[in-house]
Amino acid sequence: MSFLKDFRAFAVKGNAVDLAVGVIIGAAFGRIVDSLVKDVVMPLVNFILGGAVDFSNKFIVLSMPPNYNGPMTYADLTKAGANVFAWGNFVTIVINFILLAFIIFWMVKAVARARASLETKHEPAVAAAAPADVQLLQEIRDILKQQRGPVA
């Protein structure tokens, strides 16, 4: 019974639940950013560079499967069991990572800026300084309290 109690305490502990929520949100956010890179940024980069950025179908066939007569595409060759050096897919993934990191950097920077602006909006207003005569009366009161002791 002690093991089950310990496990339950761990599973419902705030940190474990927060971590689970973070992983779920992170996975969804990763899919959003991946789609942003793949479906929005990369087509624009390909358009600007004339379609030269998509290396995903660039490869070198190291060894062919015996009696293979199918199409010479990466997907078909790997499915048939060919030994393929897929350098283009690696280059595409590296480019996607760099773009993804750049976009995440700017998103984090924007969130930090938004948080900073919210924190400055919610800071308590500094009380206006009391007029000189009120300050003088407060000082006199404090001096009198020190001389007589606290009034009960």
Side-chain angles (χ1 to χ4, degrees):
M1 265 333 240
S2 176
F3 175 77
L4 291 176
K5 285 182 181 179
D6 290 343
F7 178 73
R8 183 174 154 241
F10 167 76
V12 297
K13 197 181 240 185
N15 293 344
V17 173
D18 291 344
L19 180 62
V21 169
V23 167
I24 292 167
I25 297 289
F29 184 72
R31 293 177 73 189
I32 289 169
V33 174
D34 187 44
S35 175
L36 177 67
V37 169
K38 187 173 112 185
D39 301 330
V40 177
V41 175
M42 286 304 283
L44 290 173
V45 170
N46 281 332
F47 176 74
I48 292 168
L49 298 178
V53 177
D54 186 20
F55 298 108
S56 60
N57 206 27
K58 305 291 184 192
F59 56 90
I60 299 170
V61 179
L62 299 176
S63 67
M64 291 290 287
N67 302 326
Y68 180 74
N69 295 327
M72 296 298 284
T73 64
Y74 175 75
D76 291 323
L77 285 168
T78 54
K79 192 177 198 179
N83 190 6
V84 179
F85 180 66
W87 65 270
N89 192 36
F90 177 75
V91 169
T92 301
I93 289 171
V94 168
I95 291 170
N96 285 350
F97 172 77
I98 291 168
L99 290 172
L100 181 98
F102 183 72
I103 289 168
I104 294 289
F105 169 75
W106 283 107
M107 290 174 112
V108 168
K109 201 168 171 105
V111 167
R113 191 177 307 130
R115 277 190 185 155
S117 96
L118 283 176
E119 288 173 0
T120 57
K121 286 181 184 178
H122 294 298
E123 286 181 2
V126 178
D133 57 343
V134 173
Q135 285 181 351
L136 181 61
L137 289 171
Q138 288 173 344
E139 288 176 17
I140 294 170
R141 178 200 63 208
D142 293 342
I143 291 170
L144 289 173
K145 278 185 183 178
Q146 286 175 357
Q147 290 177 353
R148 287 189 278 167
V151 178

